[in-house]
Amino acid sequence: MRAMVTGAAGFLGSHLVDALLAEGHHVVGVDNLLTGTKANLAHLASSAKFEFVEKDITTPFDVGKVDYVFNLASPASPVDYMVHGVETLMVGSYGTREALEIAKRYNAGFLHTSTSECYGDPLVHPQPETYWGNVNPIGPRSVYDEAKRFSEALIMAYHRYYGADTHMVRIFNTYGPRLQIRDGRVISNFLSQALRGEDITIYGDGSQTRSFCYVSDQVDGIMRLSRSNEHLPVNIGNPQEFTMVACAQEILNLTGSSSKITFQALPQDDPKQRKPDITRATELLGWSPKIDLREGLALTLPWFREHVELRDPATSSKA
Ligand code: UDP
């Protein structure tokens, strides 16, 4: 098949492109490089089956006939989407519409990457797909949360009114090689800080929880969902739940770093807990994560070692 991946130059997009190419498909990657980078696709430069189109997807475009649209385009880390708030709302509304229009035009399958942020600061734990969420519609995170929730509504409308073959994954925190070193996320920050010997910055008291999914598990879930007949959202994430203090400790143990843990102010509307209920993914897709946090961090560490700028080489040899 010929597949289009929007957000192809991002962390997850580039891994999805790799998985599609590995299955023998042709891939058109589209990205405006707002938060993605061509470096994530550099290894595909000589691939005859991969094309790259530099394009902001919020205005109409056409890459020719495609059999499948994977819509991943959006800033995704809290730091990035708060810097690019309006762009995030635009890509989650106009951008999703343009991607849906392409799927409709060519009668192509469509998969959208939604988010656990749809659940906001959840009052139900763990979060099943049936939970409607606890979202502040005007808070600092709303640029992302409401863009993603609008996308979901628009996709359901294309499915209901036009019979589009749509799929939606609600992605929980995912990490691995090619994460932006400076995206401000917890795994990126803690790994970089540990390798540089800098203080580990826990926001709040560190009792808030997240559940971290290794990127190969996430891509496997996305591929399975894309081939399924399921049109309602499906959570894909690793249900093993960690406090941020425990996460910091895992990273200190892994790196052997002597960084100190420090506590800083908790950002506004930072969810207190997050853990996917993956019953639907398991029953519908036969999916469950294979890689736990310790193993996934060990698989991620070489990328950070290679890309973190070490301020003091003496520190790096210790870390
Ligand atoms: N966090 C932290 N220190 C950091 C970066 C993040 O304690 O240097 C916390 C953040 O406050 C949140 C959790 O880690 O509670 C996950 O944050 P992240 O930005 O990775 O993603 P989120 O799940 O909030 O979208």
Side-chain angles (χ1 to χ4, degrees):
M1 79 176 174
R2 186 166 186 263
M4 177 175 87
V5 177
T6 74
F11 157 63
L12 190 54
S14 65
H15 283 284
L16 182 64
V17 169
D18 286 344
L20 288 164
L21 291 172
E23 287 196 353
H25 305 299
H26 287 259
V27 180
V28 186
V30 182
D31 204 300
N32 69 344
L33 305 178
L34 181 68
T35 58
T37 165
K38 275 189 178 166
N40 287 338
L41 301 168
H43 59 291
L44 304 177
S46 60
S47 168
K49 292 194 163 183
F50 180 68
E51 302 162 54
F52 181 73
V53 177
E54 189 171 333
K55 173 83 183 78
D56 172 353
I57 67 162
T58 59
T59 54
F61 68 106
D62 195 339
V63 297
K65 184 175 176 357
V66 289
D67 306 293
Y68 214 106
V69 172
F70 291 89
N71 189 41
L72 279 69
S74 176
S77 83
V79 168
D80 279 345
Y81 65 65
M82 287 192 218
V83 169
H84 303 292
V86 173
E87 290 88 343
T88 302
L89 280 158
M90 294 301 135
V91 79
S93 49
Y94 292 106
T96 299
R97 181 181 66 175
E98 295 309 327
L100 281 164
E101 279 298 309
I102 289 178
K104 183 163 162 261
R105 185 176 316 145
Y106 294 116
N107 210 10
F110 183 92
L111 181 139
H112 176 75
T113 49
S114 189
T115 170
S116 56
E117 282 284 324
C118 288
Y119 305 122
D121 188 2
L123 305 176
V124 170
H125 194 71
Q127 294 82 55
E129 292 86 345
T130 46
Y131 178 49
W132 291 357
N134 176 38
V135 173
N136 177 351
I138 54 164
R141 296 175 88 104
S142 66
V143 292
Y144 186 67
D145 301 3
E146 296 297 4
K148 291 288 188 180
R149 284 162 67 102
F150 176 80
S151 282
E152 288 199 0
L154 189 64
I155 291 160
M156 284 312 296
Y158 269 65
H159 175 66
R160 291 194 176 109
Y161 297 113
Y162 303 142
D165 179 22
T166 58
H167 310 273
M168 288 185 268
V169 52
R170 287 197 184 135
I171 293 177
F172 284 67
N173 298 58
T174 297
Y175 68 100
R178 300 186 199 152
L179 266 184
Q180 289 180 66
I181 304 292
R182 259 176 258 87
D183 73 1
R185 285 189 176 119
V186 65
I187 300 274
S188 318
N189 276 4
F190 288 2
L191 275 175
S192 307
Q193 290 160 348
L195 288 174
R196 292 192 194 113
E198 293 172 359
D199 288 350
I200 303 276
T201 54
I202 289 181
Y203 301 157
D205 65 4
S207 65
Q208 72 271 33
T209 67
R210 293 295 185 272
S211 306
F212 299 104
C213 186
Y214 188 66
V215 65
S216 60
D217 282 330
Q218 185 62 245
V219 169
D220 178 38
I222 290 173
M223 295 289 275
R224 285 172 190 247
L225 179 60
S226 73
R227 289 189 283 255
S228 77
N229 294 319
E230 183 56 40
H231 301 295
L232 297 174
V234 178
N235 290 338
I236 297 287
N238 189 322
Q240 276 188 311
E241 186 182 8
F242 292 83
T243 65
M244 293 312 101
V245 169
C247 177
Q249 206 53 60
E250 282 289 335
I251 286 174
L252 287 175
N253 292 346
L254 173 72
T255 56
S257 167
S258 52
S259 289
K260 303 271 168 301
I261 288 180
T262 59
F263 294 89
Q264 299 191 356
L266 189 68
Q268 190 189 331
D269 295 340
D270 196 278
K272 282 180 274 307
Q273 53 184 2
R274 187 182 285 159
K275 169 180 169 162
D277 178 332
I278 59 165
T279 308
R280 275 167 57 74
T282 305
E283 288 179 2
L284 294 168
L285 312 176
W287 178 87
S288 59
K290 306 272 179 295
I291 297 184
D292 67 16
L293 183 62
R294 189 161 298 174
E295 189 182 352
L297 287 173
L299 292 168
T300 307
L301 183 61
W303 167 265
F304 277 78
R305 275 202 203 284
E306 202 181 321
H307 291 89
V308 160
E309 298 138 29
L310 299 165
R311 288 189 322 178
D312 171 6
T315 312
S316 70
S317 57
K318 271 189 280 168

